[in-house]
Amino acid sequence: MSEQSLSEKSPVSEKIPVTVLTGYLGAGKTTLLNRILSEPHGKRYAVIVNEFGEIGIDNDLVVGVDEEVFEMNNGCICCTVRGDLVRILDGLMRRKGKFDAIIVETTGLADPAPVAQTFFIDENVGRKTKLDAVVTVADAKWLNERLKDAPEAKNQIAFADVILINKTDLVSPEELSDIEARIRGINPYAKLHKTERAKVPLDAVLGRNAFDLDRILDLEPDFLGGDDHDHHNHNHDHGHDHDHGHGGLKHYHDEEMQSIALRTDKPLDPDKFLPWVQDLVQKEGPNILRCKGILAFKDDDQRFVFQGVHMILDGDHQRPWKAGEKRDSRIVFIGRNLPGKMITDGFESCIAK
Amino acid sequence: MAASGSDTVSVVERTRPLTIGGGIVAAHFLGRTAAFILGEEAIVLAAPDGESRRIAAHGGAILATAADGARIVSGGDDGKLVATDANGETRVVASDPKHRWIDHVALGPDGAVAWSAGKTAYVQAKESNSQSNKQSNREPRAFEAPSTVGGLAFFPKGFRLAIAHYNGATLWFPNAAGAAPERLEWKGSHLGAAVSPDGRFLVTTMQEPMLHGWRLVDRQHMRMSGYAARVMSLSWSASGEWLATSGAAQLVLWPFQSKDGPMGKTPRLLTPSGHRIDVVACHPRTDVIAAGYNNGLVLLARIEDGAEILAKTPGDVPVTALAWSGDGRLLAWGTESGEAGIIDLG
């Protein structure tokens, strides 16, 4: 179901993991990067940066690039790659053995989607490297403002696998709780960490395998404080901004960016579901930032898993369902102005008769 | 299928195997000396008498090479453009002042060299002994492309360079002061360039698994698609009538005999296999093509009748380099993991 499957070419273990650091201007990306590079972990990192000179580490594997977002010549405007990454990753992989992982620091205004899509679209990149996770650093004091005036900041939150709420020392506990709820209103699935000076255990941001089809199954919202209330079959297509209490954490719905989570315990018909989801991302792809799913198909003893970025989908059978395992199908969409009712109805129409 | 057929002609037994000690990204011949380009730092020269020498050329990755039979020029992530000859003598031709990666290189007629770093393409004419124009010719000229340069190719005649980039290509006459470079438009990212031996066509490889071409006289477009993967390797046949390409599970040859080139024509398809061809190299004298597969197989195919000869049995790792000696008697191959061989076809 993918344009180019990431999985077939070489064993996943040999692929070099690539971590993408995003975050609006001044949020603390470079602080996090310097922390990653300077901690005594014994690992060697190649680093692709857009603003030279801020890295305090002497490293001949630091490469400065100009971000170049290239549209693919296939009539799909959201189908873009980062041309600079195609070039730089190919060059870096000629020196494989000199480093264990690659970190890409984007500019504060960058959209993470073309970075992620590069790994799906470019076979040469996908064969030798794998996207590990998109890590977004958010400024606890200013994110609220940026979510109002900077679409890039909202994209970065919505797209993230891991979010650091940084500079927590500059805000009150109430403000921190508020910003956390704002983030959750946009992206309830990312792993969330509250940090000062981007101080975070490195295994919280590196080696996440967030784009590994075998590991994308973390579809439960990552609410803090054990507040694991049920969101399934909850349509977030509200017409107005509102908030209400939820175990001490306010609950915001972002006017523009939402997530939709759907679940059913009835088996799906693959001949209905696969065309439906393809058609959905074709039509709504520009608005769907990411999607993921675990599917139980009728008369199929294998779990099917998929993920997508805008219009690009990648999916495969993952493993047999275990004895006694609940054969639920769960899918999640994160995107802008998603047509919730249409998606919910469409999903339900894929249930096998 | 040819590779497994019992009656397949084979030249495998004529192979002299070599251990190179590093992943190979390209191969060239300097006379009868084979040169294997490693992914980083070194070029291994294998002379006909069996002696191999490792030549230190760069301080990091070797990103691009070109050769004209007498010398190899290579661009590295150390920001250097280095020339290497058959004796293993190296010389730094140019250093990027900002240590930017030298991404692409090309050699032209009359010894001209071109290279690019980011968006900037440079050309330098052949070093001249004449005092009068020595200064002006030695100074490289620069062209600022609208985006990072994707590929470079000289025209076979005249001091003219094709530069592939995002949304098209530019034709540049470095010596024509005041003449605006000619822009050829086609949407998308163009990553490699090849000019037909008769100078009438420019073909680019694209980020998509397809080629784009222009008939230069009237800028007619040619779209050449149907590939499984991005086309990474292009080679013109000895006659100039065919363009051999990688990127599919068979050898795709586009016809360029007529004035229309491949417009409205289907390509000739040879050596069908279940595996993808990653590198192609046309014989310099006859219309025979060497094709290297991503499963390690190398086949020679004759265009005329599609006859196949086995040159290397499949293994585990992709073939990444193929090169013919200028007389067409030697074929060098190399793989991603550093296996290499020279086949003496006599």
Side-chain angles (χ1 to χ4, degrees):
Chain A
M1 67 192 282
S2 60
E3 287 210 341
Q4 298 246 318
S5 172
L6 285 178
S7 32
E8 59 169 294
K9 281 78 189 183
S10 66
V12 169
S13 56
E14 290 175 13
K15 296 185 183 183
I16 295 287
V18 181
T19 301
V20 179
L21 297 186
T22 73
Y24 206 70
L25 307 165
K29 287 190 301 290
T30 305
T31 309
L32 175 60
L33 181 57
N34 278 324
R35 187 175 288 285
I36 292 170
L37 295 180
S38 60
E39 289 209 353
H41 39 57
K43 298 254 182 174
R44 297 158 303 168
Y45 295 98
V47 184
I48 301 172
V49 294
N50 287 274
E51 285 112 343
F52 242 146
E54 294 180 41
I55 294 188
I57 305 293
D58 183 29
N59 183 343
D60 72 330
L61 289 166
V62 175
V63 190
V65 297
D66 291 326
E67 292 180 349
E68 289 188 303
V69 176
F70 290 164
E71 282 177 26
M72 296 294 285
N73 193 5
N74 58 5
C76 157
I77 53 152
C78 58
C79 207
T80 51
V81 296
R82 279 275 301 272
D84 54 313
L85 287 183
V86 171
R87 176 175 66 97
I88 299 290
L89 289 173
D90 179 61
L92 278 177
M93 290 313 290
R94 291 171 189 237
R95 304 185 70 188
K96 67 178 178 196
K98 293 286 193 292
F99 51 87
D100 304 294
I102 298 171
I103 299 170
V104 179
E105 183 193 25
T106 68
T107 62
L109 299 176
D111 179 358
V115 181
Q117 290 177 163
T118 302
F119 291 81
F120 290 85
I121 290 172
D122 192 278
E123 196 267 347
N124 198 39
V125 167
R127 190 169 79 88
K128 293 176 178 166
T129 61
K130 59 174 182 172
L131 186 55
D132 185 67
V134 174
V135 177
T136 297
V137 186
D139 185 320
K141 191 166 177 60
W142 294 107
L143 182 68
N144 246 338
E145 297 302 310
R146 296 296 81 80
L147 290 177
K148 288 173 195 155
D149 64 15
E152 298 89 352
K154 197 178 276 185
N155 267 343
Q156 291 163 358
I157 295 293
F159 209 92
D161 300 292
V162 178
I163 298 171
L164 268 60
I165 306 180
N166 194 32
K167 307 190 183 182
T168 54
D169 48 327
L170 302 182
V171 295
S172 68
E174 293 73 29
E175 288 171 302
L176 184 59
S177 172
D178 187 67
I179 196 65
E180 191 183 326
R182 290 275 177 199
I183 290 171
R184 285 297 174 217
I186 295 168
N187 182 344
Y189 301 97
K191 297 287 177 206
L192 216 149
H193 303 276
K194 297 173 205 170
T195 62
E196 292 176 28
R197 287 171 292 282
K199 190 164 169 52
V200 65
L202 293 191
D203 61 4
V205 290
L206 301 172
R208 304 299 306 169
N209 286 305
F211 285 83
D212 186 341
L213 273 181
D214 286 345
R215 299 278 299 270
I216 65 167
L217 309 175
D218 225 351
L219 293 180
E220 305 303 328
D222 182 53
F223 285 105
L224 301 175
D227 178 25
D228 57 351
H229 58 240
D230 188 14
H231 259 252
H232 307 299
N233 290 316
H234 181 147
N235 178 355
H236 283 201
D237 192 22
H238 296 266
H240 60 281
D241 221 14
H242 68 265
D243 60 79
H244 50 89
H246 249 304
L249 188 63
K250 279 193 193 168
H251 197 119
Y252 287 105
H253 290 279
D254 192 89
E255 184 86 24
E256 181 195 22
M257 195 81 80
Q258 312 91 17
S259 64
I260 294 177
L262 301 165
R263 163 180 260 166
T264 178
D265 56 8
K266 302 188 186 86
L268 297 175
D269 182 343
D271 294 333
K272 288 181 182 164
F273 179 83
L274 295 173
W276 169 73
V277 74
Q278 291 273 25
D279 185 60
L280 178 67
V281 299
Q282 281 302 311
K283 287 179 179 147
E284 295 292 327
N287 290 324
I288 298 172
L289 273 66
R290 289 183 70 173
C291 61
K292 299 178 180 189
I294 305 165
L295 306 168
F297 288 135
K298 188 174 187 296
D299 304 324
D300 190 342
D301 285 332
Q302 297 260 331
R303 272 163 54 130
F304 192 92
V305 295
F306 79 96
Q307 63 178 327
V309 174
H310 289 310
M311 289 190 191
I312 300 168
L313 290 174
D314 183 23
D316 210 346
H317 280 104
Q318 182 212 12
R319 61 162 172 79
W321 289 98
K322 291 174 190 156
E325 187 177 17
K326 199 171 176 203
R327 294 196 182 189
D328 272 356
S329 291
R330 286 171 284 157
I331 61 172
V332 170
F333 297 90
I334 296 177
R336 194 176 283 110
N337 303 317
L338 295 178
K341 178 157 170 35
M342 189 189 99
I343 292 176
T344 308
D345 291 349
F347 179 66
E348 281 168 5
S349 75
C350 299
I351 292 170
K353 296 287 186 291
Chain B
M1 256 190 30
S4 51
S6 55
D7 53 351
T8 302
V9 180
S10 169
V11 291
V12 173
E13 69 287 353
R14 293 165 176 255
T15 305
R16 179 156 68 91
L18 298 162
T19 305
I20 299 299
I24 297 165
V25 293
H28 302 284
F29 269 93
L30 298 169
R32 289 180 63 80
T33 297
F36 296 93
I37 315 299
L38 304 194
E40 52 182 339
E41 295 173 1
I43 295 172
V44 174
L45 297 180
D49 58 13
E51 199 181 317
S52 290
R53 297 164 62 200
R54 187 184 171 95
I55 309 298
H58 287 276
I62 301 179
L63 301 171
T65 58
D68 59 9
R71 60 174 175 160
I72 295 165
V73 290
S74 52
D77 71 358
D78 54 2
K80 291 193 167 68
L81 181 73
V82 175
T84 304
D85 68 17
N87 298 321
E89 298 290 327
T90 64
R91 188 171 60 82
V92 175
V93 178
S95 291
D96 189 81
K98 294 182 216 152
H99 304 288
R100 290 178 301 174
W101 291 16
I102 308 292
D103 298 310
H104 302 284
V105 300
L107 280 169
D110 312 323
V113 58
W115 66 98
S116 70
K119 294 178 183 174
T120 316
Y122 299 90
V123 294
Q124 185 175 295
K126 186 189 178 177
E127 294 162 39
S128 165
N129 292 323
S130 148
Q131 283 298 324
S132 57
N133 60 13
K134 188 169 187 177
Q135 205 55 42
S136 60
N137 271 352
R138 289 287 290 129
E139 196 62 35
R141 297 181 193 213
F143 171 77
E144 212 53 36
S147 65
T148 296
V149 173
L152 298 169
F154 275 102
F155 278 69
K157 288 185 189 140
F159 193 42
R160 191 184 195 194
L161 189 68
I163 302 161
H165 47 71
Y166 187 47
N167 286 341
T170 298
L171 308 181
W172 180 35
F173 284 101
N175 279 351
E182 197 178 327
R183 180 69 51 84
L184 300 169
E185 305 273 351
W186 188 258
K187 281 198 172 177
S189 177
H190 300 257
L191 293 172
V195 178
S196 64
D198 61 9
R200 294 191 300 134
F201 298 94
L202 171 65
V203 176
T204 59
T205 64
M206 300 199 68
Q207 175 70 56
E208 298 81 4
M210 62 172 71
L211 306 177
H212 192 76
W214 290 268
R215 182 167 66 185
L216 297 173
V217 64
D218 57 2
R219 298 188 172 202
Q220 281 278 347
H221 293 284
M222 302 177 286
R223 300 181 67 180
M224 292 165 269
S225 57
Y227 292 92
R230 209 169 99 200
V231 180
M232 310 285 270
S233 179
L234 298 174
S235 180
W236 295 97
S237 70
S239 63
E241 293 183 348
W242 300 93
L243 178 64
T245 61
S246 71
Q250 48 208 332
L251 187 52
V252 179
L253 299 165
W254 295 97
F256 280 80
Q257 300 94 334
S258 77
K259 65 177 171 50
D260 292 337
M263 270 181 253
K265 300 191 179 76
T266 52
R268 184 169 294 187
L269 305 173
L270 302 178
T271 69
S273 152
H275 295 273
R276 194 185 67 219
I277 294 175
D278 277 355
V279 55
V280 292
C282 290
H283 189 280
R285 302 271 173 92
T286 64
D287 273 358
V288 166
I289 300 156
Y293 289 76
N294 69 351
N295 69 339
L297 172 69
V298 177
L299 291 177
L300 308 183
R302 187 161 58 200
I303 298 174
E304 187 184 13
D305 58 1
E308 296 173 15
I309 295 175
L310 178 66
K312 179 188 171 298
T313 52
D316 293 331
V317 287
V319 177
T320 48
L322 288 172
W324 293 95
S325 61
D327 60 9
R329 288 166 183 258
L330 301 173
L331 173 68
W333 55 261
T335 70
E336 193 173 74
S337 63
E339 306 163 84
I342 300 172
I343 303 172
D344 190 341
L345 296 161

